[in-house]
Amino acid sequence: MASSSICFPANSVVISHRNSTLFTDSSRRCRVRSSLDTDVSDMSTNGMEINHGDCLRLSFMIRLKYENIHVQAKTVGTCNIQRNEWIELLAPKGLFPPEPKQYSGPKLKVAIIGAGLAGMSTAVELLDQGHEVDIYESRPFIGGKVGSFIDRRGNHIEMGLHVFFGCYNNLFRLMKKAGADQNLLVKDHTHTFVNKGGEIGELDFRFPVGAPIHGIRAFLATNQLKTYDKARNALALALSPVVRALVDPDGAMQDIRNLDSISFSDWFMSKGGTRASIQRMWDPVAYALGFIDCDNISARCMLTIFSLFATKTEASLLRMLKGSPDMYLSGPIRKYIEKKGGRFHLRWGCRKILYDQSSNGDTYVTGLSLSKATNKKTVKADAYVAACDVPGIKRLLPGEWKSSDFFHNIYELVGVPVVTVQLRYNGWVTELKDIEQSRQLKQAIGLDNLLYTPDADFSCFADLALTSPEDYYIPGQGSLLQCVLTPGDPYMPLLNEEIIKKVSEQVLTLFPSARGLDVTWSSVVKIGQSLYREAPGKDPFRPDQKTPVQNFFLAGSYTKQDYIDSMEGATLSGRQASAYICDAGEQLFALREQLPPIESLESSLTSSSQLSFV
């Protein structure tokens, strides 16, 4: 059996594979202009309508908070609020910053380390403001934790399973800029749990009335919990800051931040929640969000999501890419960056940050020492952005900077190991109703959504041949399950064959009807440190994007922002990093005058490095 592996030591990744044989009530709705039809800062389904319940709640909130504004929502009528106003009113301001004012200062040269979502988000914002941007990436492909590439046999290999919650407003804004907003497939507005023996549980948000009514109904009607557990679950949520979020999103967000010091389990149980609710519902969700369970994840992390679900009808609506991230996410963003004049330099890793001190003791960066194979370069810029993950920034920071509390705090953060397994079958694993249909290969069939489970080591998974068919559906072949093993610690030391055997056995415990189907291809991706561990008490150690070093900035989903470590958090961090750089434009330009002249970054390196494999 043929096998191969590719190692990326800079990111603690080992990749290997083997080859073997509103809904809405039409009589009670309020029309709102869709963000896909207007130049606004959100993305939603084509032809979206905000239902009557949402408009009534919005009207109440506006009257409560803004004395001079009044919106009427009649049984049949028009709600003349555009989507950007809607988002700004219903989301805490820190989660969705306003559009930046056009920059009018001196043009800056900016060097970004890392071509993940955070780095590319930073680049897009800076290029839109007229700056010169170069991105340096040690890998042969872009995307970071949302990266993907094609192996020698034509299979798309991903770093993990990527799901887009409806509250990813900053990421949707970025995708719309890059023309990638049409690359998302909207799934049914329900969260599906697959239990042992093929029993299906649901949190079904499909209801004529929107938030918060649709969420209340989903939790009360779910068949994933027993009646007693549902009642206690409702009690806990009723005593949470989520209720305050309905009328005071910013105040609720502050209350949620204040709960960072305790675990979600401790908070939930103290409010009357049950252990069974945690085990059967919230642990799989926590693993999907942060790769750790409710006993180990901060209450802040979980309640941040809950508050968005309560205040925004679409927040719980899931989307997935049409195909691979390289083709449908990072690819379009790269084209946008290059069209704006930005440059990518692949396989150029930053080995050292060069710095000095001014006469008054201020530290500033003088350049970056880069290498590509045996080639070495030093690049200079007006501003430097380290858009790395937690292990990456720890390796990059000069040791002397640890004496600063700001940088020392970063070393209190640790990443979570995660293992992602892909399994290709010769039939349709998630088809539970018709066994005969599950054996045919003429038409894809099964559960087309993100799937959670409390009964396997992979807490969330999906059949990519159904959810993302452009690259993953192959005529004549069946399901392509992508399973995220969390926690990944027990699997990291195992051989790939052992991992595949264990996962395929657990698949059969969830889908007994799949017995008799064969795994025809598989891949295993191990990431030693992925998301940072959002454990209780860790939020204060997250660094701001602006650092004590005048011309050095940070970006990354682990940095300080109101969302959790995620694609949305990475995108938001890039917006914030760019805002800091633009705010400091005059000072950065003045610092340039004190330093040796900066050569054009374009001339110091090749404009880009093509992805290739030997």
Side-chain angles (χ1 to χ4, degrees):
M1 187 175 299
S3 65
S4 65
S5 65
I6 303 173
C7 299
F8 300 94
N11 291 279
S12 302
V13 179
V14 178
I15 300 175
S16 59
H17 62 85
R18 67 174 186 169
N19 185 28
S20 63
T21 326
L22 246 179
F23 163 87
T24 62
D25 182 343
S26 60
S27 66
R28 298 175 59 82
R29 64 175 182 248
C30 302
R31 297 185 183 276
V32 176
R33 295 169 65 190
S34 169
S35 61
L36 293 181
D37 301 323
T38 60
D39 187 19
V40 297
S41 300
D42 184 30
M43 196 206 74
S44 56
T45 313
N46 278 317
M48 164 151 185
E49 294 178 337
I50 300 301
N51 56 48
H52 182 68
D54 281 334
C55 286
L56 288 176
R57 181 169 58 85
L58 177 59
S59 177
F60 167 72
M61 290 179 61
I62 296 174
R63 288 198 304 268
L64 186 68
K65 294 190 68 179
Y66 303 94
E67 297 179 359
N68 298 323
I69 303 176
H70 180 71
V71 176
Q72 291 187 349
K74 299 179 181 179
T75 300
V76 179
T78 299
C79 180
N80 59 347
I81 291 183
Q82 295 184 18
R83 285 291 293 185
N84 54 346
E85 297 172 294
W86 167 262
I87 294 302
E88 289 171 4
L89 288 169
L90 293 191
K93 294 180 179 62
L95 288 174
F96 193 73
E99 288 299 312
K101 295 180 180 179
Q102 187 58 44
Y103 177 75
S104 59
K107 181 177 181 178
L108 302 174
K109 300 177 187 295
V110 183
I112 299 175
I113 307 165
L117 263 182
M120 290 193 291
S121 172
T122 308
V124 167
E125 298 299 313
L126 290 171
L127 288 164
D128 285 347
Q129 296 288 19
H131 299 297
E132 180 182 344
V133 177
D134 284 79
I135 305 176
Y136 303 94
E137 170 59 54
S138 61
R139 290 177 175 180
F141 56 89
I142 64 173
K145 290 192 286 286
V146 296
S148 67
F149 67 90
I150 303 175
D151 72 3
R152 286 184 246 180
R153 297 176 180 83
N155 299 297
H156 290 263
I157 309 296
E158 291 194 25
M159 302 294 105
L161 183 60
H162 309 297
V163 181
F164 299 72
F165 284 87
C167 50
Y168 279 12
N169 302 311
N170 293 283
L171 180 54
F172 294 158
R173 169 183 173 274
L174 174 62
M175 294 180 70
K176 186 171 183 179
K177 281 189 175 188
D181 51 339
Q182 300 299 319
N183 293 342
L184 290 171
L185 300 178
V186 181
K187 304 307 175 184
D188 285 341
H189 200 173
T190 183
H191 291 214
T192 304
F193 294 79
V194 181
N195 302 291
K196 188 180 298 183
E199 181 181 345
I200 299 298
E202 284 191 299
L203 268 177
D204 192 345
F205 294 92
R206 293 169 291 190
F207 197 61
V209 181
I213 303 302
H214 78 316
I216 296 172
R217 184 257 185 190
F219 285 111
L220 292 179
T222 181
N223 59 341
Q224 183 61 16
L225 299 178
K226 295 180 179 178
T227 302
Y228 174 76
D229 297 312
K230 284 192 286 188
R232 298 293 294 271
N233 190 67
L235 174 64
L237 293 178
L239 296 174
S240 75
V242 171
V243 176
R244 183 179 181 182
L246 297 175
V247 294
D248 182 11
D250 291 308
M253 182 55 66
Q254 185 56 55
D255 291 343
I256 290 170
R257 291 192 199 102
N258 294 338
L259 292 172
D260 179 68
S261 60
I262 64 173
S263 72
F264 178 75
S265 288
D266 287 343
W267 174 86
F268 185 72
M269 301 285 282
S270 73
K271 300 300 181 183
T274 63
R275 176 57 65 175
S277 294
I278 290 174
Q279 292 172 340
R280 303 307 300 173
M281 179 176 288
W282 298 127
D283 268 348
V285 173
Y287 277 129
L289 292 175
F291 300 162
I292 50 180
D293 62 17
C294 290
D295 289 345
N296 292 286
I297 199 169
S298 165
R300 174 196 58 79
C301 179
M302 296 287 282
L303 290 172
T304 296
I305 301 298
F306 292 173
S307 68
L308 291 169
F309 281 17
T311 57
K312 188 170 184 291
T313 302
E314 277 205 317
S316 51
L317 179 63
L318 304 179
R319 298 170 173 85
M320 297 182 72
L321 289 170
K322 288 181 178 180
S324 65
D326 184 60
M327 295 293 294
Y328 293 97
L329 178 62
S330 52
I333 298 173
R334 175 177 182 168
K335 290 179 181 177
Y336 181 89
I337 289 172
E338 291 179 332
K339 184 178 180 180
K340 285 275 187 173
R343 295 176 292 271
F344 285 86
H345 309 278
L346 303 184
R347 291 196 177 95
W348 281 99
C350 182
R351 304 309 172 197
K352 190 176 182 180
I353 296 175
L354 308 176
Y355 67 97
D356 203 345
Q357 285 188 327
S358 62
S359 57
N360 61 5
D362 291 339
T363 301
Y364 56 88
V365 175
T366 59
L368 302 176
S369 177
L370 304 172
S371 66
K372 177 183 178 182
T374 59
N375 299 319
K376 296 181 180 180
K377 286 282 187 181
T378 298
V379 299
K380 296 181 180 293
D382 296 314
Y384 304 85
V385 182
C388 312
D389 56 10
V390 168
I393 191 62
K394 288 180 180 179
R395 285 191 297 269
L396 192 59
L397 291 175
E400 295 81 2
W401 290 7
K402 284 187 182 181
S403 59
S404 163
D405 288 342
F406 178 94
F407 292 113
H408 187 269
N409 284 343
I410 295 175
Y411 293 85
E412 296 293 327
L413 304 176
V414 295
V416 181
V418 63
V419 179
T420 301
V421 176
Q422 289 178 312
L423 300 174
R424 175 73 75 178
Y425 288 84
N426 60 350
W428 302 102
V429 174
T430 66
E431 172 52 41
L432 296 167
K433 299 178 181 178
D434 191 329
I435 294 181
E436 183 177 343
Q437 279 290 91
S438 71
R439 266 54 179 177
Q440 57 81 33
L441 296 175
K442 295 181 179 179
Q443 180 182 3
I445 190 170
L447 300 175
D448 177 10
N449 212 329
L450 173 69
L451 306 173
Y452 303 93
T453 179
D455 294 326
D457 291 340
F458 46 92
S459 55
C460 61
F461 63 106
D463 186 346
L464 296 186
L466 292 166
T467 63
S468 306
E470 291 296 324
D471 289 327
Y472 298 110
Y473 170 74
I474 300 176
Q477 300 188 35
S479 293
L480 178 62
L481 294 190
Q482 184 149 299
C483 309
V484 182
L485 291 165
T486 51
D489 310 63
Y491 285 87
M492 293 299 289
L494 299 183
L495 296 174
N496 297 325
E497 288 74 13
E498 295 180 74
I499 295 173
I500 293 163
K501 182 175 183 294
K502 287 178 177 290
V503 172
S504 58
E505 288 173 351
Q506 292 180 45
V507 167
L508 294 179
T509 66
L510 301 180
F511 300 99
S513 58
R515 294 186 184 279
L517 297 181
D518 296 322
V519 176
T520 60
W521 174 86
S522 63
S523 75
V524 176
V525 175
K526 297 179 180 179
I527 302 180
Q529 294 191 61
S530 182
L531 305 179
Y532 93 89
R533 188 180 295 272
E534 297 200 69
K538 292 300 181 183
D539 193 57
F541 296 106
R542 297 169 74 182
D544 198 9
Q545 290 79 33
K546 183 179 180 180
T547 79
V549 178
Q550 185 177 355
N551 59 347
F552 182 71
F553 301 84
L554 301 176
S557 52
Y558 73 95
T559 60
K560 181 68 72 176
Q561 37 85 17
D562 277 335
Y563 205 70
I564 62 176
D565 191 341
S566 60
M567 293 185 290
E568 173 70 0
T571 309
L572 178 55
S573 78
R575 291 191 65 184
Q576 295 179 177
S578 171
Y580 277 127
I581 292 172
C582 291
D583 287 345
E586 297 290 348
Q587 293 89 340
L588 294 170
F589 184 78
L591 181 61
R592 174 202 291 189
E593 300 298 305
Q594 304 170 23
L595 300 177
I598 299 175
E599 297 180 1
S600 171
L601 298 183
E602 185 175 14
S603 62
S604 65
L605 290 171
T606 58
S607 62
S608 65
S609 300
Q610 297 299 318
L611 171 63
S612 62
F613 291 96
V614 177

